Amino acid sequence: MTVLRKGVRVLRNLILGIFGFVVLYLVAAFVLSLIPVHTTDRDPANDITVYIKTNGVHTDLVMPLRSELIDWSQKIKISNTKANDTLARYIAMGWGDKGFYLNGPT
């Protein structure tokens, strides 16, 4: 009889624990969603469109080479890029091993 009571107690505690976790998660999600985000501080004139490109192996961020906020051509040598094109309007940035990136499968 004591083994049965112990089993029922363990099962009850397990169910209460799972239920308590779900309730705690829902309360935290509700309370944290009330924290205001200051979207009015954003200046739309400073927005830059950034694209995401993938070849199935790598993912790159593609952004304008020159904009009002930053000129990447001042920070990156164009001769170090794969295209080596000084007339390029966009630059793609990724990370990882250079050899695998340049010679990886497409």
Side-chain angles (χ1 to χ4, degrees):
M1 189 73 152
T2 60
V3 174
L4 182 60
R5 283 187 181 178
K6 209 179 234 186
V8 169
R9 189 179 319 137
V10 168
L11 184 61
R12 182 193 69 205
N13 289 342
L14 181 64
I15 291 171
L16 286 175
I18 293 172
F19 180 74
F21 176 77
V22 169
V23 169
L24 181 65
Y25 178 83
L26 293 174
V27 168
F30 176 74
V31 169
L32 294 175
S33 70
L34 297 176
I35 297 174
V37 177
H38 300 288
T39 56
T40 56
D41 294 343
R42 187 174 126 302
D43 183 6
N46 290 337
D47 285 352
I48 297 176
T49 302
V50 176
Y51 302 96
I52 298 175
K53 175 187 164 222
T54 184
N55 64 3
V57 178
H58 296 286
T59 301
D60 296 329
L61 295 177
V62 180
M63 61 198 89
L65 186 60
R66 294 170 188 86
S67 70
E68 297 81 28
L69 298 177
I70 190 165
D71 184 359
W72 287 107
S73 65
Q74 299 296 318
K75 300 185 180 291
I76 298 171
K77 293 180 184 178
I78 299 300
S79 61
N80 288 342
T81 64
K82 187 174 183 180
N84 196 11
D85 183 5
T86 57
L87 300 175
R89 294 178 37 212
Y90 291 90
I91 189 164
M93 293 188 191
W95 58 89
D97 180 61
K98 181 181 176 182
F100 184 76
Y101 182 78
L102 294 175
N103 302 317
T106 56

